[in-house]
């Protein structure tokens, strides 16, 4: 019963979301014949990090939901972990028929990496030792291009790549197998970018961009590894485990400069 409910619910939500995107988002732009584009160099690859993160997290959600429904491990990986890849592939096809965008092979590569990270760890370790997470802080750049980077924190959270950081959060004890380190403590490696007003570095309308990559080293907490007997807290921890917990952080830019953050979001 649970299994059928989960399958029907996931299929229905995916279908409704795609129909909604087609009617509410793509309807504002002219349709075209299917086309592909090469956007691999845009936004210092921050948009690709977003694709990989989304594919991983949707796959994690799909697999965990099927696990709750009592589905076999094999089917969890086939039908759950690939949820993100399947959904984002459908979105990519919609992009391909839009005059404004196009089908992106680099987006598809990022989607594949995200799903592969989840599936690979389940096959190798039967657990997620490496978790993709997200953090965000507001920047000055959204105010300069609110139509592109968002107006207000809700839009900026999704659109302003300057304020986004994507993290690979590694559970320390899963690798070291020691009792001296809490099971929930992680070491996190982050990637971000700054100074971007447009996707392209040589946009003639924005020649004074000071674009730079940023690399981070910090601690994190794997909320899913905190022991509790409360089903409510377990669910809550699992939901919020997509967000990197703020900690003191070391930042290094691609120009070699090092910066210390007492707390980094």
């Amino acid at each position: 019963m649970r299994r059928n409910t989960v399958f029907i619910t996931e299929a229905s939500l995916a279908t409704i979301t795609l129909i909604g995107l087609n009617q509410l988002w793509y309807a504002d732009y002219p349709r075209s014949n299917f086309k592909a584009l090469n956007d691999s160099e845009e936004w210092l690859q921050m948009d690709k990090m977003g694709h990989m993160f989304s594919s991983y997290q949707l796959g994690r959600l799909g697999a965990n939901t099927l696990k709750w429904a009592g589905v076999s491990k094999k089917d969890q990986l086939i039908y759950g972990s690939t949820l993100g890849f399947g959904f984002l592939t459908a979105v990519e096809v919609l992009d391909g028929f839009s005059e404004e965008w196009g089908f992106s092979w680099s987006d598809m590569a990022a989607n594949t990496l995200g799903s592969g990270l989840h599936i690979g760890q389940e096959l190798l370790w039967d657990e997620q030792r490496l978790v993709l997470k997200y953090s965000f802080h507001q920047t000055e750049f959204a105010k300069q291009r609110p139509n592109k980077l968002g107006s207000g924190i809700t839009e900026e959270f999704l659109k302003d790549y300057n304020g986004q950081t994507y993290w690979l959060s590694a559970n320390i004890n899963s690798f070291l197998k020691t009792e001296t380190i809490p099971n929930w403590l992680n070491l996190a490696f982050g990637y971000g970018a700054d100074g971007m007003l447009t996707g392209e570095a040589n946009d003639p309308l924005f020649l004074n961009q000071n674009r730079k990559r940023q690399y981070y080293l910090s601690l994190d907490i794997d909320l899913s590894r905190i022991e509790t007997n409360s089903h409510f807290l377990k669910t809550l921890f699992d939901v919020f485990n997509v967000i990197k917990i703020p900690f003191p952080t070391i930042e290094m830019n691609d120009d070699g400069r090092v910066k210390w953050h007492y707390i980094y979001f």
Side-chain angles (χ1 to χ4, degrees):
M1 183 63 180
R2 278 187 177 183
R3 180 185 61 184
N4 293 339
T5 300
V6 167
F7 280 136
I8 293 172
T9 301
E10 287 187 351
S12 299
L13 287 175
T15 301
I16 291 171
T17 302
L18 290 172
I19 292 174
L21 280 172
N22 189 52
Q23 295 298 320
L24 299 177
W25 181 264
Y26 293 99
D28 293 334
Y29 302 96
R31 303 297 174 93
S32 69
N33 294 326
F34 186 84
K35 66 181 187 300
L37 55 78
N38 180 11
D39 61 351
S40 59
E41 299 299 321
E42 293 188 2
W43 299 110
L44 295 178
Q45 292 78 49
M46 284 298 292
D47 57 327
K48 309 311 171 197
M49 296 299 296
H51 275 267
M52 186 162 63
F53 169 81
S54 299
S55 183
Y56 172 85
Q57 289 295 347
L58 284 172
R60 185 182 69 89
L61 174 63
N64 287 349
T65 304
L66 292 182
K67 181 179 180 180
W68 169 82
V71 175
S72 69
K73 184 72 173 184
K74 178 182 177 181
D75 286 347
Q76 289 175 36
L77 295 179
I78 295 175
Y79 302 110
S81 296
T82 57
L83 175 65
F85 179 81
F87 178 79
L88 292 173
T89 297
V91 173
E92 206 61 47
V93 171
L94 291 176
D95 281 351
F97 286 103
S98 173
E99 186 68 37
E100 182 74 8
W101 296 283
F103 183 92
S104 168
W105 285 109
S106 54
D107 283 356
M108 289 298 298
N111 298 339
T112 303
L113 286 174
S115 296
L117 179 63
H118 188 277
I119 295 171
Q121 291 186 86
E122 290 297 323
L123 293 174
L124 182 62
W125 297 315
D126 198 30
E127 65 174 349
Q128 295 296 300
R129 298 184 181 184
L130 305 171
V131 180
L132 288 181
K133 291 194 175 188
Y134 175 88
S135 66
F136 175 78
H137 60 273
Q138 286 187 290
T139 73
E140 61 183 292
F141 303 104
K143 295 180 181 179
Q144 300 177 48
R145 289 202 74 193
N147 61 319
K148 190 69 174 181
L149 301 178
S151 177
I153 189 169
T154 303
E155 289 188 2
E156 293 167 29
F157 185 84
L158 299 173
K159 294 183 177 182
D160 186 5
Y161 292 121
N162 299 283
Q164 299 175 4
T165 306
Y166 292 95
W167 301 86
L168 184 66
S169 184
N171 184 253
I172 300 173
N173 223 12
S174 293
F175 294 98
L176 298 184
K177 305 297 184 182
T178 175
E179 296 181 358
T180 60
I181 298 175
N183 287 331
W184 42 259
L185 187 62
N186 282 22
L187 186 64
F189 306 90
Y191 175 71
D194 196 38
M196 301 178 295
L197 292 173
T198 182
E200 300 176 2
N202 298 317
D203 191 312
L205 298 178
F206 301 93
L207 294 176
N208 296 321
Q209 299 180 76
N210 183 24
R211 301 156 67 93
K212 56 186 176 183
R213 304 176 191 274
Q214 299 161 314
Y215 307 93
Y216 301 92
L217 178 64
S218 183
L219 294 175
D220 186 32
I221 295 175
D222 188 337
L223 297 176
S224 68
R225 294 179 184 267
I226 296 178
E227 295 185 5
T228 175
N229 293 323
S230 170
H231 292 293
F232 172 76
L233 286 179
K234 286 181 180 179
T235 301
L236 193 67
F237 289 160
D238 192 59
V239 170
F240 283 96
N241 208 39
V242 302
I243 303 297
K244 160 73 168 63
I245 304 299
F247 264 100
T249 300
I250 298 174
E251 171 193 337
M252 185 174 72
N253 296 332
D254 54 6
D255 57 8
R257 295 182 180 180
V258 177
K259 183 178 181 180
W260 169 257
H261 300 271
Y262 289 101
I263 290 291
Y264 180 82
F265 292 87

